[in-house]
Amino acid sequence: MNRDNFITFILIVMVLLAATTTILLGRPLTNTDTVVLLQTRNMTCGSCSQQISQTLSKQTGIAAIGVDVAAGLVEVQFDSRKATPVTIANAVSNLGFASVVAYVQPIKNSPQPQSGTPGCAKGGCGNCNKK
């Protein structure tokens, strides 16, 4: 499997995880709407993975973290209103693991406001213009 296919595979797995959580629980763990894949260097063992996971889990808006030490990848599912790919990469880099954003993917079918609910914007569900 080449590198691009591997990255695509990881992102698909993360999106499916988010969708499965939403279906099983009836709601996402948080209002996650984005997955970021970080290319991360200097990871050598499970302790590195644990340190990254613990640090990111304390960040606001982070819902899921996956670390693949051998591939040098960190996948993070997050709420884009509370975190950004750059702040997530910086948090990992500040631990001594040089990290750059490799890919950002919106999570399809993330919950959208429905008509009649606070925060519903015109065009959110198509019912705003009905009389």
Side-chain angles (χ1 to χ4, degrees):
M1 181 180 301
N2 70 34
R3 181 179 173 84
D4 290 338
N5 287 343
F6 180 74
I7 290 172
T8 301
F9 173 76
I10 294 295
L11 289 170
I12 289 170
V13 168
M14 291 296 289
V15 170
L16 290 175
L17 174 64
T20 302
T21 301
T22 301
I23 291 167
L24 293 176
L25 297 177
R27 60 177 171 73
L29 295 175
T30 67
N31 289 326
T32 58
D33 58 4
T34 309
V35 174
V36 64
L37 184 65
L38 305 176
Q39 182 65 51
T40 305
R41 292 182 301 183
N42 304 326
M43 296 187 296
T44 58
C45 64
S47 178
C48 299
S49 172
Q50 184 178 12
Q51 188 177 4
I52 291 169
S53 295
Q54 286 176 347
T55 296
L56 291 178
S57 67
K58 295 174 185 175
Q59 303 285 322
T60 303
I62 304 296
I65 303 154
V67 180
D68 186 335
V69 173
L73 297 173
V74 176
E75 310 108 26
V76 181
Q77 182 181 331
F78 66 99
D79 180 343
S80 65
R81 293 165 295 222
K82 297 180 180 178
T84 68
V86 173
T87 59
I88 294 168
N90 287 343
V92 175
S93 292
N94 288 340
L95 293 171
F97 305 106
S99 190
V100 295
V101 175
Y103 194 80
V104 178
Q105 175 70 46
I107 298 173
K108 293 183 181 179
N109 301 323
S110 59
Q112 299 296 316
Q114 296 298 311
S115 180
T117 60
C120 181
K122 287 190 176 190
C125 63
N127 290 325
C128 294
N129 297 324
K130 294 181 182 177
K131 294 183 182 188

